[in-house]
Amino acid sequence: MVRLVLVSTGPAAPLAAETLCQHLSITKETALERLGAAPSVLVEGIDDETARKIATLLRSFGLRVRIDGPSEGANPCDLSIQIAVPVRVQRTIRQIAAETGLDVGHVAESVQRPGGLVLPALPPDEVLRLQQVLGRNSSLVLSASDPASAVYDIFLPDGMTDPALAERFRLLGAEADPITGAVAAGLDRAICAHLVARFPDAGMTVIDRAFQRYDLYLTRVTGWVTRDLADFLAARTGLPRSRFEVVAENMPLRIELGLTHAAARQFRADYASIGMHTLMLLSGLSRNSDNPNL
């Protein structure tokens, strides 16, 4: 017997209430209550087969759910390997290649991409082995994600547009995220697979949100840069205090590096509260070469 957990809810949650009523024999009011808050337990002590059936249906409504219990350990996971600190990079790449059995050139190229080197559908024991072996390298960050409940965002290179792809996003109800720059945000694995198969030449970069890392750039400061603020920024970035005397959008300053999706949003909000306006850029994504700061 397993537990069905709602990881995150969404605008279509009320539409999924009837599904929950039918499979769990509960009232609609109870179903709406359970679907309205997350994270929360939808049902305890349900058989694995029924739990997976309900989970599949709820995911089709855009809800994130997971199954906890005896069968959880058997679920394959995706594993991301990223270089967080560029120290002894070539040695680190050779170590990753040796432990994964991949070509050194492939590893060197992949770790520079957004999301890093992603190893899909690994058995849990292999994920644990790699985390234990490679986790000893302090310059690496390893992140595991369950593809069944993962949330994905889609990015396009700067300036690239595709009217047919944009129309497909509209039909699917996939909305852009102006903060992260994603052209479609909050998608599940099935929708992303459909889009990649339908538009293989669109240049899409599909990234599990658990693997995304962001750099934060200071673009504008409301009011004057005070002495205390300049001292704070100098300590944070290692740049001289004089560098903060003029802050402009055409000369952004990177003040945070390699933040997770959630941390980057929180930092952005915290900085905004003290008059510091910032821009989130996905680490590793090709940017406009006209601006050497990006």
Side-chain angles (χ1 to χ4, degrees):
M1 307 302 284
V2 298
R3 176 192 300 116
L4 188 61
V5 177
L6 178 67
V7 178
S8 66
T9 187
L15 302 177
E18 193 62 37
T19 295
L20 213 59
C21 293
Q22 293 174 356
H23 288 84
L24 301 183
S25 300
I26 58 177
T27 65
K28 188 171 184 179
E29 289 73 17
T30 301
L32 288 170
E33 182 179 351
R34 294 184 185 181
L35 292 170
S40 63
V41 176
L42 293 176
V43 60
E44 289 269 14
I46 187 174
D47 68 274
D48 183 77
E49 183 178 354
T50 302
R52 292 186 179 278
K53 184 183 298 184
I54 298 174
T56 299
L57 291 170
L58 293 180
R59 287 168 186 149
S60 70
F61 286 98
L63 307 182
R64 292 181 63 202
V65 295
R66 75 167 189 265
I67 299 172
D68 293 343
S71 66
E72 182 185 21
N75 295 339
C77 291
D78 294 344
L79 181 68
S80 164
I81 304 175
Q82 302 185 52
I83 295 179
V85 182
V87 177
R88 299 177 180 174
V89 174
Q90 295 305 317
R91 179 179 176 181
T92 297
I93 288 173
R94 289 195 297 272
Q95 180 188 14
I96 297 172
E99 294 296 339
T100 61
L102 297 173
D103 177 74
V104 171
H106 173 71
V107 172
E109 180 183 359
S110 298
V111 293
Q112 303 298 325
R113 297 173 182 168
L117 171 65
V118 177
L119 306 176
L122 293 180
D125 56 349
E126 177 63 5
V127 172
L128 181 60
R129 184 189 75 81
L130 289 173
Q131 287 176 327
Q132 291 175 336
V133 174
L134 296 178
R136 299 169 188 162
N137 189 330
S138 59
S139 66
L140 289 178
V141 173
L142 283 78
S143 308
S145 177
D146 179 1
S149 59
V151 174
Y152 298 85
D153 298 326
I154 296 179
F155 298 82
L156 289 175
D158 282 353
M160 182 173 288
T161 59
D162 187 323
L165 179 60
E167 176 62 14
R168 179 62 58 171
F169 287 154
R170 188 189 67 80
L171 292 174
L172 292 172
E175 297 183 350
D177 186 340
I179 294 178
T180 64
V183 294
L187 307 179
D188 62 25
R189 193 181 188 90
I191 291 179
C192 291
H194 160 76
L195 290 167
V196 171
R198 186 71 178 264
F199 302 93
D201 301 320
M204 289 184 288
T205 299
V206 181
I207 315 177
D208 186 329
R209 195 170 287 177
F211 302 156
Q212 294 173 18
R213 295 296 180 269
Y214 289 88
D215 301 336
L216 213 60
Y217 289 81
L218 180 64
T219 59
R220 182 165 59 90
V221 176
T222 301
W224 294 97
V225 177
T226 65
R227 179 181 296 275
D228 289 342
L229 180 56
D231 288 340
F232 167 78
L233 292 172
R236 194 76 182 177
T237 64
L239 296 172
R241 291 180 74 258
S242 60
R243 182 64 183 86
F244 303 100
E245 292 177 0
V246 178
V247 178
E249 293 188 12
N250 63 341
M251 295 182 62
L253 297 174
R254 189 171 66 186
I255 56 176
E256 301 291 347
L257 178 66
L259 299 174
T260 65
H261 181 276
R265 284 181 175 272
Q266 185 60 56
F267 270 72
R268 185 174 182 270
D270 291 343
Y271 282 134
S273 69
I274 57 174
M276 297 171 58
H277 302 271
T278 55
L279 174 68
M280 282 174 57
L281 294 183
L282 185 66
S283 303
L285 193 63
S286 176
R287 294 292 169 182
N288 189 343
S289 60
D290 292 338
N291 192 336
N293 295 289
L294 298 185

